[in-house]
């Protein structure tokens, strides 16, 4: 069952005159047509829309030939409570990530909460509180999945059943006071038994008091996802990477705030093994690397320009692949999926004519509009990218709202 989210006000939105539609599915990466119609938070039509369907919409966005992609899913965000990070003392970073095309965020655990508890009752309470706080909170329009229990000594199987019954569906290993990382294995097993997605810090220690985690540990634990497998920030030894690919089905998440060389190596190994579904893109921010609103796009363009990976596949690793591993209804431009759409274009002054060629060239491209839950969050200009080459605009609006983006 794909995870459902509570709806915002019902808005019907159409995007017309789209130049290219990238689906988020690397096996079937593009869709014919030039229109997307959305209503009640879901995509109704991808491809061709009748004049009657468009005229029935509250908002009509003219893409003017820009490229539509699914909203990016950042599957490793170090949230706390609200739109604030004490690690970088920054307010509004999630709202800013929306202006970089990220429409869904997934917690990497609330490890950066100041004075966070470390006893079993405390880590359970922290996870439940974070999950509940983000149930109805949409910073900038982003859907954020908060609440990942941090695995600490003393937790027993009944604890995982208790918090799973309260809605918590994520568990994180790597920051607990265990004697060795092997001690996480029973807790990972209990979390999986009760339907939780399990994630594990990978590579050298990232904060004082934590320990490095390598292939031997991960193969013993068998989590769903190896977080920042390319290093967070220090990577595993090179010989560990093929072991994870060939000896497990663990999803391999590569992050912007990691090691670029091993990111490219992981992508190459995954493709050679015909295991591309397991490659996920995230940012692992805000951490010591800072706040990175364009982090997802940077990793997409690194893969598309520094390897022979098709840019549509790199986009899928940031969208549909994440959705499948985390059982989300987002991540694809398909009928019935969550209506999270981003319009991208070559920047003014770019040597390339469109977004896909720009990303292949290694460029950061312009974000011309973001729609989440079928609601336009801004149309025309992102505050984090140069202007679009094309005139992305609101062609019709029957709502008393202004969807123009904030200026620089």
């Amino acid at each position: 069952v794909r995870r459902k989210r509570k709806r915002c006000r019902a808005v019907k939105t159409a995007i017309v005159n789209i130049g290219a539609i990238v689906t988020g599915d690397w096996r079937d990466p593009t869709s014919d047509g030039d229109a997307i119609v959305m209503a009640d938070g879901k995509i109704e039509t991808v491809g061709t829309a009748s004049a009657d369907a468009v005229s029935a919409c509250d908002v009509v966005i003219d893409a003017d030939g820009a490229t539509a992609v699914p909203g990016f899913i950042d599957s490793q965000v170090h949230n706390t409570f609200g739109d604030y990070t004490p690690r970088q003392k920054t307010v509004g970073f999630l709202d800013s990530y929306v202006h970089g095309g990220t429409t869904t965020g997934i917690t990497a655990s609330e490890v950066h909460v100041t004075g966070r508890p470390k006893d079993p009752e405390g880590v359970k309470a922290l996870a439940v509180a974070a999950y509940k706080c983000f149930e109805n909170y949409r910073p900038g329009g982003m859907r954020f999945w908060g609440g990942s229990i941090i695995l600490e000594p003393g937790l027993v199987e009944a604890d995982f059943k208790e918090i799973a019954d309260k809605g918590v569906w994520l568990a994180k290993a790597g920051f607990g006071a265990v004697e060795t990382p092997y001690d996480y294995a029973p807790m990972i097993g209990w979390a999986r038994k009760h339907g939780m997605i399990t994630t594990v810090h990978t590579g050298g220690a990232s904060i004082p008091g934590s320990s490095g985690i390598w292939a031997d540990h991960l193969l013993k634990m068998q989590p769903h996802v190896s977080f920042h497998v390319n290093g967070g920030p220090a990577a595993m030894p090179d010989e560990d990477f093929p072991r994870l690919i060939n000896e497990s089905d663990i999803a391999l998440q590569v992050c912007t705030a990691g090691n670029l060389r091993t990111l490219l190596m992981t992508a190459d190994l995954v493709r050679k093994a015909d295991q591309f579904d397991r490659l996920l893109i995230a940012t692992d921010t805000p951490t010591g690397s800072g706040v990175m609103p364009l982090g997802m796009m940077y990793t997409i363009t690194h893969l598309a320009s520094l390897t022979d990976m098709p840019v549509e596949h790199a986009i899928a690793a940031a969208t549909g692949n994440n959705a499948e591993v985390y059982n989300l209804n987002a991540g694809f431009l398909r009928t019935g999926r969550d209506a999270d759409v981003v319009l991208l274009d070559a920047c003014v002054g770019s040597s390339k004519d469109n977004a896909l060629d720009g990303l292949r060239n290694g460029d950061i491209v312009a974000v011309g509009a973001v729609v989440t839950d079928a609601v336009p969050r801004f149309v025309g200009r992102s505050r984090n990218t140069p202007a679009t080459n094309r005139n992305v605009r609101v062609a019709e609006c029957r709502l008393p709202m202004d969807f123009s983006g904030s200026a620089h």
Side-chain angles (χ1 to χ4, degrees):
V1 176
R2 302 208 178 275
R3 302 189 193 282
K4 298 179 180 179
R5 58 194 193 181
K6 295 185 178 180
R7 304 259 72 89
C8 297
R9 176 199 181 279
V11 174
K12 190 162 188 174
T13 299
I15 306 176
V16 299
N17 296 329
I18 300 170
I21 298 174
V22 179
T23 64
D25 182 347
W26 65 274
R27 290 184 174 86
D28 186 18
T30 60
S31 177
D32 294 334
D34 64 354
I36 299 173
V37 176
M38 301 158 274
D40 195 27
K42 299 286 180 63
I43 295 174
E44 288 192 338
T45 303
V46 177
T48 303
S50 68
D52 287 345
V54 173
S55 64
C57 291
D58 301 303
V59 183
V60 179
I61 299 169
D62 183 350
D64 193 32
T67 300
V69 304
F72 303 142
I73 301 172
D74 190 343
S75 55
Q76 191 174 0
V77 181
H78 281 286
N79 65 297
T80 53
F81 291 101
D83 197 355
Y84 170 69
T85 166
R87 187 75 183 266
Q88 295 296 335
K89 301 187 185 302
T90 300
V91 176
F93 79 97
L94 292 172
D95 177 88
S96 194
Y97 279 33
V98 174
H99 279 251
T102 297
T103 59
T104 301
I106 303 174
T107 180
S109 84
E110 289 69 29
V111 68
H112 295 310
V113 167
T114 305
R116 74 169 176 92
K118 299 180 181 180
D119 61 293
E121 288 303 313
V123 294
K124 288 191 296 180
L126 177 60
V128 172
Y131 171 77
K132 297 289 186 182
C133 282
F134 280 99
E135 271 193 299
N136 299 300
Y137 177 45
R138 302 290 298 265
M142 177 190 292
R143 177 61 171 102
F144 195 89
W145 296 100
S148 178
I149 185 168
I150 302 167
L151 303 187
E152 292 279 6
L155 289 167
V156 297
E157 182 180 345
D159 293 320
F160 293 91
K161 182 181 187 307
E162 176 189 345
I163 61 169
D165 288 345
K166 294 177 180 177
V168 175
W169 57 278
L170 294 162
K172 169 69 180 295
F175 295 129
V178 295
E179 289 189 13
T180 77
Y182 295 112
D183 295 334
Y184 288 122
M187 292 184 275
I188 291 285
W190 294 329
R192 292 187 68 129
K193 178 180 177 180
H194 292 285
M196 303 174 77
I197 300 294
T198 54
T199 64
V200 177
H201 171 97
T202 304
S206 63
I207 62 173
S210 62
S211 60
I213 294 178
W214 322 115
D216 283 338
H217 303 125
L218 289 159
L219 293 172
K220 177 67 174 179
M221 288 186 242
Q222 290 296 314
H224 291 90
V225 183
S226 166
F227 265 176
H228 48 62
V229 71
N230 62 312
M236 302 183 296
D238 283 6
E239 56 267 25
D240 280 14
F241 288 83
R243 291 190 62 202
L244 289 185
I245 292 170
N246 298 322
E247 299 176 34
S248 80
D249 60 0
I250 299 168
L252 307 175
Q253 182 200 76
V254 292
C255 288
T256 315
N259 181 313
L260 177 59
R261 183 186 67 83
T262 54
L263 180 151
L264 301 177
M265 181 179 72
T266 302
D268 183 57
L269 290 170
V270 166
R271 294 178 70 207
K272 286 180 178 177
D274 194 22
Q275 296 287 309
F276 192 76
D277 287 312
R278 293 167 58 189
L279 185 69
L280 313 181
I281 290 177
T283 64
D284 185 26
T285 60
T287 54
S289 300
V291 171
M292 300 179 71
L294 297 175
M296 296 293 287
M297 198 188 302
Y298 270 113
T299 300
I300 290 169
T301 195
H302 288 158
L303 291 171
S305 64
L306 299 177
T307 76
D308 63 353
M309 181 183 294
V311 64
E312 296 88 350
H313 289 203
I315 291 169
T319 56
N321 284 9
N322 273 313
E324 290 296 278
V325 169
Y326 285 90
N327 296 320
L328 303 178
N329 198 49
F332 296 94
L333 298 187
R334 290 178 180 160
T335 300
R337 293 286 184 156
D338 291 339
D340 298 342
V341 185
V342 173
L343 292 180
L344 301 177
D345 192 27
C347 298
V348 169
S350 172
S351 64
K352 302 302 176 183
D353 180 63
N354 61 74
L356 299 182
D357 285 346
L359 291 168
R360 290 187 191 99
N361 193 52
D363 294 337
I364 287 297
V365 297
V367 179
V370 171
V371 177
T372 69
D373 223 28
V375 179
R377 304 302 175 174
F378 69 86
V379 178
R381 171 170 288 192
S382 162
R383 62 171 178 260
N384 289 325
T385 69
T388 56
N389 193 46
R390 292 166 172 82
N391 182 27
V392 179
R393 64 189 181 89
V394 175
E396 297 180 36
C397 183
R398 299 177 178 86
L399 302 174
M401 302 176 71
D402 176 11
F403 296 110
S404 61
S406 301
H408 289 278

